[in-house]
Amino acid sequence: MTTTTPEAAIADARERIDVLDDRIIGLIQERMAVSAVVQQTRIASGGRRVHLSREMEILARYRDALGRPGTGLAMTLLELCRGRV
């Protein structure tokens, strides 16, 4: 049986958090690139850069999954992906 000190457990957990944060950042960057393709394609075909009903779907999805703070997270994500409106 291995006994782990609280300090070691915390260090291990922080290491896992850092790995998760790196993955999250990478996924956000990937989302930003995909969103740019959508916006460019929409504009090139005569549409608008922002599709508000789609944004409302995204806000609801995050709120439903994460509660009220999910809405703020989704707003930040949308701003990163499409800029300020």
Side-chain angles (χ1 to χ4, degrees):
M1 181 172 146
T2 305
T3 304
T4 304
T5 66
E7 294 81 11
I10 290 169
D12 288 346
R14 285 182 175 163
E15 216 173 283
R16 288 176 47 210
I17 287 171
D18 290 344
V19 169
L20 290 168
D21 284 343
D22 288 343
R23 288 174 48 198
I24 291 166
I25 290 167
L27 289 170
I28 291 170
Q29 291 169 331
E30 182 178 352
R31 189 189 193 288
M32 291 168 68
V34 173
S35 181
V37 170
V38 171
Q39 290 177 54
Q40 291 164 0
T41 304
R42 194 180 300 125
I43 290 168
S45 65
R48 300 177 66 173
R49 181 174 66 93
V50 176
H51 194 265
L52 294 179
S53 64
R54 172 68 176 144
E55 290 198 358
M56 295 307 292
E57 290 173 13
I58 293 166
L59 291 170
R61 181 177 184 187
Y62 276 75
R63 182 190 62 243
D64 292 347
L66 303 172
R68 192 169 149 217
T71 303
L73 178 60
M75 289 296 294
T76 300
L77 189 59
L78 289 169
E79 185 176 334
L80 283 167
C81 292
R82 55 110 164 98
R84 289 184 170 256
V85 287

